[in-house]
Amino acid sequence: MSPPESVDGEGLVLDELTARERQVLELVAQGLDNDAIGKRLNISKRTARNNVSLILSKLGVKTRAQAIVHAIEAGFGRKRVRQGRDP
């Protein structure tokens, strides 16, 4: 299942996110930390962290938890995975 392209809940528009940022947001919504996101996407932990920071900025939220709430409301994170493990 691919992450949603855009969702319009509570004025939240996700069209600003790149395809990579939507992938990262999907993994954040599934509960993965930056290290696990990096391993899953074959990027460094630092790059994963930078992607998460950009996502927070674009969504206009201050915390990862707020981003997760918005992401889940928008249809992300439906598939749960174990931390650091491939599905």
Side-chain angles (χ1 to χ4, degrees), residues 25 28-32 52 55-56 59-73:
L25 183 58
V28 168
Q30 291 175 17
L32 275 67
V52 171
I55 291 165
L56 296 180
L59 295 180
V61 298
K62 293 182 180 182
T63 68
R64 194 178 189 106
Q66 290 172 318
I68 291 170
V69 169
H70 285 301
I72 290 172
E73 288 174 353

Side-chain angles (χ1 to χ4, degrees), residues 1-85:
M1 179 175 175
S2 298
E5 287 295 318
S6 66
V7 176
D8 190 45
E10 297 179 344
L12 178 65
V13 179
L14 300 175
D15 284 338
E16 288 184 40
L17 299 181
T18 65
R20 174 61 87 183
E21 289 166 343
R22 286 192 296 273
Q23 287 177 323
V24 171
L25 183 58
E26 174 65 30
L27 296 175
V28 168
Q30 291 175 17
L32 275 67
D33 63 14
N34 294 340
D35 190 44
I37 290 169
K39 289 176 182 172
R40 179 72 55 87
L41 298 179
N42 235 2
I43 59 177
S44 73
K45 179 179 178 179
R46 176 182 252 168
T47 299
R49 184 195 68 207
N50 291 341
N51 277 298
V52 171
S53 293
L54 285 170
I55 291 165
L56 296 180
S57 177
K58 287 183 178 183
L59 295 180
V61 298
K62 293 182 180 182
T63 68
R64 194 178 189 106
Q66 290 172 318
I68 291 170
V69 169
H70 285 301
I72 290 172
E73 288 174 353
F76 287 81
R78 300 281 186 221
K79 183 178 177 186
R80 303 292 297 177
V81 295
R82 288 184 156 182
Q83 186 77 5
R85 299 187 99 152

